[in-house]
Amino acid sequence: MNPILAMRGISKAFAGVKALSEVSFSVEPGEIHAVVGENGAGKSTLMKVLSGVYPHGSYDGAIVFDGEERRFRDITESEALGIIIIHQELALIPLLSIAENIYLANPPTKFGVIDRGAVYRGALALLAKVGLNEAPDTRVIDLGVGKQQLVEIAKALSKDVRLLILDEPTASLNERDSEALLDLLVELRAQGISSILISHKLNEVARVADHITVLRDGRTVDTLDCRAGPVEEDRIIRSMVDRDLEHRYPKREPKIGQEKIGEVIFEVEGWTVFHPQDAGRRVIKGVDFQVRRGEIVGIAGLMGAGRTEFAMSVFGRSYGRHISGRARLEGREVDLSTVRRAVNAGLAYVTEDRKELGLILAEDIRKNMTLANLPAVAPGGIIDDMAELKVATGYRSRMGIRSASVYQETGQLSGGNQQKVVLSKWLFTEPKVLILDEPTRGIDIGAKYEIYCIINELADSGRGVIVISSEMPELLGICDRICVMNEGAFVGEFSAQDASQEKIMRAIMRNGEARA
C-alpha cells in the first residue's frame, strides 16, 4: 500500500541551531500514526513544516502527499488538500457559536450571503459525526475543554480532512474526555481518515496507534509497528530518552526533622469560597488543610472538584468572592487578601496554565525569572541589568534549563524548560510554601523526572510543597500524603504507604453518592 504521506530527509534550523536533522517517516491511508519524543525533540516543528506554517524553502527535504511532491507556501495550501492541524492551544473564538466557529473560514452562501440555515444544518450533522450532543448555536465559551476539542475536529471534518494532525489533544482533558476523543480517532480511522497523534501520554499512544515514530534531538530514532503486537511503554521510553528509567519517580526520602517530616508550616481552617459570578454558590466548603515543613502533599480529585479554585483563593484571593476562614504560616495568622501579601507572607503558586498565566512568552528568560520579585534586582526602583543577569544565569544552571542563553525568548523553549522558568520565577521569591498546579502537564517523561527531582529538593530544603495533579500515578509516586477533594470539600486522606488509585476513587465516588 502506498503511503498517503511521506516526509523525506526533513531538516530545519533556527539561528544556526538544528531543530530537525534528516527526519523521515510515512503515514499509510486510514491509520493512526503517533509521533513521540521529549520536549524539544522536534515534533511540533515537524508538523509545522508539514502543514505549511514553515513554508517550502525554509527547510530541506521533501514532502510527498498523495503520490506528489508538495511545496506548501502557507497553511491554506495544505488545508486545501485535506491536511488539517489542531494545535494544543485551540483556535476557537469563545464568544461565537459552535456553528460559527466550524464555518468561520468557509461558510456556505446563497446569492453571496451567508446561508445561516445551511450553517446550522451542516454543523448539526458534523456534531453528530463527532458525538457531541450540543446545539449548534451554543457559544464555545460555555463548553468544557473536552467538548471544545470535538468542535475543532468537527471544523476539520467540514474541510474534507484526509490527514488529521493532533498536537497533545488530551493534555488538558480528564480521563473520560480523553477516552471519548481516542474512541473518535478510532472511528475516523474506520472511515479511512489518517491521523498523526502527538502525545506524551504513552498509554494512550499504545492503545490507539498503528505505528509509533520516535524522535530524539531532532532525528528519527525508531519506528514501532503496533499491529505486530503490544508495544511496552518502557520500550518507547528507552528510545525517547536513550536510557532506561528503572523508576518513573525519584526515590523519596524526606530529610527534615527527627521524624523525617517537620512541624506544620502552613494551615487553613474553615476556608470557604463563593463563586465569582454566582454569589449564592459555595465552591469551597469550609475546608481544613495543612502541610508540614519538608512534606509533599498531593491534592487528588476529578475535574471540577475545586482543587485549582482552592489553591487560587488561598494565593491572594485570585479566585472567588466572599472568602472566609483563617490561614496560619509557621504558627502565625497571615493576611492573604492580595497576591502581593500572599507572596510577602511566603506563598508561591505555579499556575496550571503556564503559557497564559505563568509566563510572558514574548519576553526573554531573564525577565520572566525576576518578574515576581523585581525589588530584589531593582535598588532604588531601577532594574540593575547585571543583577538580573546574575540571578537568571544562576537559576538557568541550577534548574538545568536548555536554552541558547538567558536572553532567549521564553516562547521558543520546550514545555519542560518553560515549566522550569516558571518554577525559577517563584523560587526567586524565596517561598516557604510552594503550590504546584499540574506541574508536569504537557511535558515529556524525561522532563517530568527532572521536575520531580526539583520538587524533592524543594521539600528537602524545608519548604512545604502542595501538588495538584490529575494524574493519580504521579501523586502516588512523589507525595508523602494525598488529600482527596470532591465538590469543594476534602473527602479523604491517605499516607503514601496506604494510598492507591482504587482507594482514592472510592473516596471520591462514596462522597459523590452521599451527596446525590
Side-chain angles (χ1 to χ4, degrees):
M1 183 183 295
N2 293 324
I4 188 172
L5 169 73
M7 299 187 77
R8 299 172 180 165
I10 303 294
S11 297
K12 171 73 177 170
F14 297 96
V17 178
K18 276 273 180 117
L20 298 171
S21 184
E22 296 290 325
V23 174
S24 297
F25 87 110
S26 61
V27 179
E28 296 178 8
E31 80 154 335
I32 300 173
H33 195 119
V35 179
V36 301
E38 292 189 270
N39 284 104
K43 307 181 298 295
S44 294
T45 301
L46 185 64
M47 294 304 106
K48 288 176 180 177
V49 167
L50 169 58
S51 60
V53 173
Y54 298 139
H56 181 264
S58 67
Y59 61 88
D60 296 322
I63 298 172
V64 177
F65 185 76
D66 231 4
E68 293 184 29
E69 184 173 348
R70 309 292 179 172
R71 300 179 177 182
F72 301 129
R73 291 173 294 183
D74 54 40
I75 197 167
T76 57
E77 291 191 356
S78 63
E79 287 191 349
L81 291 178
I83 302 172
I84 311 295
I85 184 168
I86 298 176
H87 297 281
Q88 189 174 348
E89 291 78 26
L90 302 181
L92 299 173
I93 300 176
L95 295 179
L96 292 184
S97 70
I98 294 173
E100 288 167 333
N101 270 282
I102 288 174
Y103 288 107
L104 190 63
N106 57 338
T109 59
K110 182 186 288 184
F111 306 119
V113 179
I114 294 175
D115 185 344
R116 292 198 171 273
V119 167
Y120 190 93
R121 291 190 299 272
L124 202 60
L126 290 167
L127 294 180
K129 273 191 175 183
V130 301
L132 182 53
N133 187 26
E134 295 284 345
D137 54 5
T138 303
R139 294 187 311 169
V140 164
I141 196 172
D142 297 323
L143 302 176
V145 178
K147 292 182 178 180
Q148 290 184 22
Q149 284 278 11
L150 296 179
V151 173
E152 279 279 23
I153 294 176
K155 187 167 72 172
L157 294 176
S158 77
K159 301 174 183 178
D160 297 322
V161 61
R162 300 184 63 206
L163 176 62
L164 183 63
I165 306 166
L166 299 107
D167 192 352
E168 297 290 350
T170 65
S172 301
L173 303 187
N174 60 31
E175 191 170 335
R176 183 173 57 187
D177 287 343
S178 296
E179 289 286 325
L181 182 61
L182 295 173
D183 289 342
L184 176 58
L185 283 187
V186 172
E187 289 179 26
L188 294 177
R189 175 175 62 189
Q191 297 171 24
I193 296 173
S194 302
S195 300
I196 297 175
L197 173 64
I198 299 174
S199 179
H200 289 125
K201 297 183 180 180
L202 301 185
N203 59 324
E204 296 179 355
V205 166
R207 180 193 146 194
V208 301
D210 299 299
H211 288 92
I212 301 172
T213 291
V214 184
L215 299 184
R216 186 174 69 239
D217 298 329
R219 298 177 182 272
T220 309
V221 294
D222 207 353
T223 296
L224 309 174
D225 187 350
C226 304
R227 295 173 298 188
V231 176
E232 294 184 355
E233 287 185 32
D234 286 347
R235 164 76 189 278
I236 304 172
I237 291 169
R238 281 196 298 272
S239 295
M240 284 172 57
V241 302
D242 196 25
R243 64 183 185 277
D244 287 319
L245 290 181
E246 293 182 13
H247 305 286
R248 298 284 182 88
Y249 309 98
K251 194 172 183 180
R252 174 82 182 119
E253 293 182 353
K255 299 177 182 177
I256 302 298
Q258 295 296 320
E259 299 180 358
K260 295 191 176 181
I261 299 291
E263 73 282 0
V264 173
I265 188 171
F266 178 67
E267 59 185 327
V268 298
E269 293 179 354
W271 200 259
T272 299
V273 181
F274 286 83
H275 193 277
Q277 278 83 46
D278 187 351
R281 178 183 161 201
R282 274 198 312 165
V283 179
I284 307 299
K285 304 169 182 177
V287 305
D288 298 334
F289 176 82
Q290 60 179 221
V291 58
R292 296 178 176 274
R293 191 181 298 277
E295 184 182 32
I296 303 173
V297 179
I299 301 181
L302 302 178
M303 295 285 283
R307 298 168 300 165
T308 293
E309 291 82 356
F310 170 63
M312 290 181 68
S313 67
V314 167
F315 188 63
R317 305 194 177 189
S318 303
Y319 173 89
R321 61 189 299 187
H322 304 313
I323 297 171
S324 60
R326 302 174 66 186
R328 285 189 289 271
L329 190 67
E330 295 181 324
R332 295 179 294 103
E333 193 159 339
V334 288
D335 179 3
L336 305 178
S337 59
T338 67
V339 169
R340 177 46 55 193
R341 287 173 180 169
V343 172
N344 290 342
L347 264 63
Y349 171 64
V350 177
T351 174
E352 64 177 332
D353 190 346
R354 61 178 173 265
K355 292 189 176 182
E356 288 291 326
L357 303 175
L359 296 167
I360 302 176
L361 296 177
E363 290 287 5
D364 60 33
I365 296 168
R366 171 184 53 108
K367 289 183 178 177
N368 273 286
M369 281 185 177
T370 58
L371 199 57
N373 191 15
L374 283 176
V377 292
I382 300 173
I383 293 176
D384 182 335
D385 289 340
M386 292 308 296
E388 191 174 49
L389 176 62
K390 183 178 179 181
V391 168
T393 302
Y395 276 107
R396 176 176 175 248
S397 174
R398 174 182 168 188
M399 305 292 276
I401 297 169
R402 300 179 182 91
S403 65
S405 74
V406 295
Y407 295 104
Q408 185 172 350
E409 190 175 293
T410 311
Q412 296 176 352
L413 301 179
S414 67
N417 285 306
Q418 286 182 359
Q419 190 71 353
K420 291 177 185 178
V421 174
V422 179
L423 281 167
S424 300
K425 179 182 80 172
W426 287 111
L427 290 182
F428 184 47
T429 67
E430 299 184 350
K432 296 171 183 175
V433 177
L434 190 62
I435 306 170
L436 307 175
D437 197 348
E438 302 288 358
T440 64
R441 173 173 287 171
I443 63 178
D444 65 78
I445 192 77
K448 281 185 178 182
Y449 191 89
E450 293 176 351
I451 297 292
Y452 299 147
C453 290
I454 291 168
I455 292 172
N456 271 357
E457 290 171 10
L458 294 174
D460 290 344
S461 69
R463 294 176 171 89
V465 182
I466 301 166
V467 178
I468 298 169
S469 177
S470 298
E471 297 185 31
M472 278 194 272
E474 179 171 81
L475 293 177
L476 294 168
I478 67 173
C479 295
D480 303 308
R481 181 163 54 94
I482 298 174
C483 298
V484 185
M485 201 168 194
N486 190 45
E487 297 183 8
F490 285 107
V491 297
E493 181 178 317
F494 304 95
S495 66
Q497 295 75 22
D498 195 40
S500 69
Q501 292 195 51
E502 291 77 14
K503 288 181 178 179
I504 292 171
M505 285 305 302
R506 199 175 296 127
I508 294 170
M509 300 311 295
R510 183 171 60 241
N511 179 262
E513 290 168 1
R515 290 170 181 263

